[in-house]
Amino acid sequence: MSSYIFTSEAVSMGHPDKVSDQVSDGILDALLAQDARARVACETLCTTDYVCLAGEITANAKVDYEQVARDVIRGIGYTSDDIGFNADSCKVDVLLHSQSADIAMGVDRDGAGDQGLMFGYACNQTEEYMPVPIALSHRVLNRLTEARQKGEVDWLRPDSKSQVSVEFNGSKPVRISAVVVSTQHAASVSQKEITEFTVDQIVKDVIPAEYLNDQTKYHINPTGQFIIGGPHGDCGLTGRKIIVDTYGGWGRHGGGAFSGKDPTKVDRSAAYMARYVAKNVVAAGLASECEVQLAYAIGVAEPVSVHIDTFGTHEVDESKIERAIREIFPLTPKGIIETLDLRRPIFGKTAWGGHFGRNDPDFTWEAIDRASALRQACGLSSDVPQTEFVIS
């Protein structure tokens, strides 16, 4: 079997692009809380003490968009002038208008809000049903965020990034070859203290010890310091972290971003459904790896194509699995929205930490409740085997 290294990255809630994603989804949630059928396409730009909201919104709701933006930014932790971005003092411009009537005409008939192709993926590499590199990258940043929010040290700031490189032998992960963590920090802390804390209390706390050895390389704040960060250090835009949001580059991506879009936008809802389908295929024991592609035409309800790829890991013929998917899962925009119960204000928490592989009851696309039905539709026993994960 061939040996290779695959790398994925994750970014924190304080990363400027994720600030933008969270503001956009915060506005979406505020609108859905008042009007479950709101049409929303909200884009956010943030830079030094400035936020711009733009896009299209049609809703029977009254929302103070500026206040929502400030509340989200405050919740992230940007509350001080000395880091160049302050929820209470930044300027907020609101440039939002109603949705195009031409687009609305097709959506009103329960058709897709745009053309496009969406991918969903799942595998048995980790208990998250996610590839090892992206799963571990998220675990590192989740732990780092926890340390900041709990005040385990007083020098951590909101902006941070992680990157994990995993060596594989064929399809099996064998070791971690490198871990990169860059975290914004106070000027008072030394690089030595940052490195020791990050390696000992963060990385080694969440990455299984058997995958770390004396050859694993650690790059902690490799530029030497990271004091200037967040929107003050780099302009943020909604939708620029689509690979972080999904499978870390392991699975394919159709190109559409998620945040700020209501569920009539198949960029978001169909990507969630594709993940739901792929995860249930793996949980059903029909394959140890599965990628699902859905494609849509604007204003047309049924997908123009449904395709699966199990990369040679299928236990039954792929054509049979594909037929079972069409039988078990509603794939029209309306069917997706109803099946996954997407007309709810649940999207703010999707905007950092990844949209997939998370144990939260509101993430309905992570359920494996159709595994038994899939097995039956494929002519197998309804008894679902226990999934054996490579890494717990």
Side-chain angles (χ1 to χ4, degrees):
M1 291 187 288
S2 61
S3 178
Y4 60 94
I5 294 173
F6 195 93
T7 301
S8 294
E9 71 162 346
V11 300
S12 72
M13 66 193 313
H15 186 282
D17 292 332
K18 282 288 131 193
V19 172
S20 294
D21 284 346
Q22 287 166 94
V23 170
S24 292
D25 272 338
I27 287 170
L28 171 62
D29 280 353
L31 289 160
L32 289 176
Q34 297 183 39
D35 180 2
R37 303 189 72 84
R39 303 274 175 80
V40 184
C42 179
E43 309 288 345
T44 302
L45 175 149
C46 61
T47 186
T48 302
D49 260 344
Y50 177 75
V51 175
C52 179
L53 310 175
E56 302 79 46
I57 291 174
T58 300
N60 184 21
K62 187 175 182 180
V63 170
D64 185 337
Y65 300 121
E66 178 180 336
Q67 190 59 52
V68 171
R70 294 189 188 281
D71 289 345
V72 169
I73 294 164
R74 187 178 302 108
I76 294 170
Y78 287 114
T79 56
S80 173
D81 289 333
D82 64 4
I83 53 176
F85 195 60
N86 188 335
D88 297 313
S89 62
C90 65
K91 182 181 180 182
V92 180
D93 281 340
V94 180
L95 305 175
L96 296 162
H97 57 86
S98 60
Q99 183 186 54
S100 160
D102 292 345
I103 295 174
M105 187 166 53
V107 180
D108 289 341
R109 298 194 301 266
D110 293 323
D114 200 354
Q115 72 176 47
L117 49 135
M118 300 83 209
F119 289 94
Y121 178 85
C123 63
N124 66 355
Q125 290 184 21
T126 65
E127 61 188 11
E128 295 98 328
Y129 287 84
M130 296 285 280
V132 172
I134 188 66
L136 295 184
S137 294
H138 281 311
R139 290 184 195 181
V140 168
L141 277 195
N142 290 343
R143 174 70 186 97
L144 191 65
T145 299
E146 176 187 53
R148 177 176 66 86
Q149 293 178 333
K150 288 184 175 181
E152 294 179 23
V153 291
D154 61 5
W155 45 262
L156 282 171
R157 299 294 180 262
D159 191 2
S160 54
K161 303 173 78 170
S162 67
Q163 188 170 280
V164 177
S165 300
V166 182
E167 183 179 331
F168 286 83
N169 187 11
S171 61
K172 182 181 179 181
V174 294
R175 74 179 188 98
I176 309 302
S177 63
V179 179
V180 182
V181 180
S182 294
T183 182
Q184 187 184 12
H185 59 86
S188 58
V189 67
S190 69
Q191 176 68 14
K192 182 175 182 293
E193 184 178 352
I194 294 171
T195 299
E196 290 178 350
F197 177 81
T198 302
V199 172
D200 295 338
Q201 303 301 317
I202 305 298
V203 174
K204 291 184 177 180
D205 190 44
V206 295
I207 294 182
E210 61 267 31
Y211 292 93
L212 300 170
N213 58 30
D214 56 8
Q215 295 182 9
T216 302
K217 296 179 180 178
Y218 299 97
H219 302 282
I220 311 301
N221 282 10
T223 65
Q225 69 176 31
F226 187 3
I227 297 170
I228 300 172
H232 183 45
D234 193 10
C235 181
L237 290 171
T238 300
R240 279 206 301 206
K241 286 293 176 284
I242 59 175
I243 300 303
V244 171
D245 284 343
T246 53
Y247 308 103
W250 188 280
R252 283 172 280 197
H253 197 295
F258 300 154
S259 289
K261 298 178 181 178
D262 75 84
T264 68
K265 277 70 170 178
V266 283
D267 274 345
R268 181 170 219 159
S269 55
Y272 288 179
M273 177 56 85
R275 161 67 175 177
Y276 183 45
V277 173
K279 188 172 179 180
N280 275 270
V281 168
V282 175
L286 301 178
S288 58
E289 184 178 8
C290 181
E291 183 177 75
V292 176
Q293 186 201 51
L294 304 175
Y296 293 84
I298 188 168
V300 179
E302 291 291 340
V304 297
S305 68
V306 178
H307 173 72
I308 73 161
D309 189 347
T310 62
F311 307 95
T313 68
H314 52 278
E315 297 295 329
V316 299
D317 190 82
E318 285 183 338
S319 61
K320 186 177 289 188
I321 299 174
E322 192 171 299
R323 286 195 298 271
I325 288 169
R326 287 181 175 271
E327 176 185 334
I328 300 299
F329 296 92
L331 298 177
T332 65
K334 180 181 179 181
I336 293 170
I337 290 168
E338 292 176 351
T339 298
L340 299 180
D341 195 12
L342 296 179
R343 294 194 186 277
R344 297 177 294 142
I346 59 170
F347 298 105
K349 55 188 173 183
T350 69
W352 78 276
H355 292 247
F356 308 123
R358 296 170 62 180
N359 183 22
D360 186 309
D362 284 333
F363 287 49
T364 49
W365 51 93
E366 292 298 312
I368 51 174
D369 53 353
R370 303 208 174 188
S372 180
L374 272 175
R375 288 182 61 82
Q376 288 182 295
C378 288
L380 302 176
S381 161
S382 62
D383 296 332
V384 178
Q386 185 169 348
T387 305
E388 294 184 5
F389 301 109
V390 179
I391 292 181
S392 61

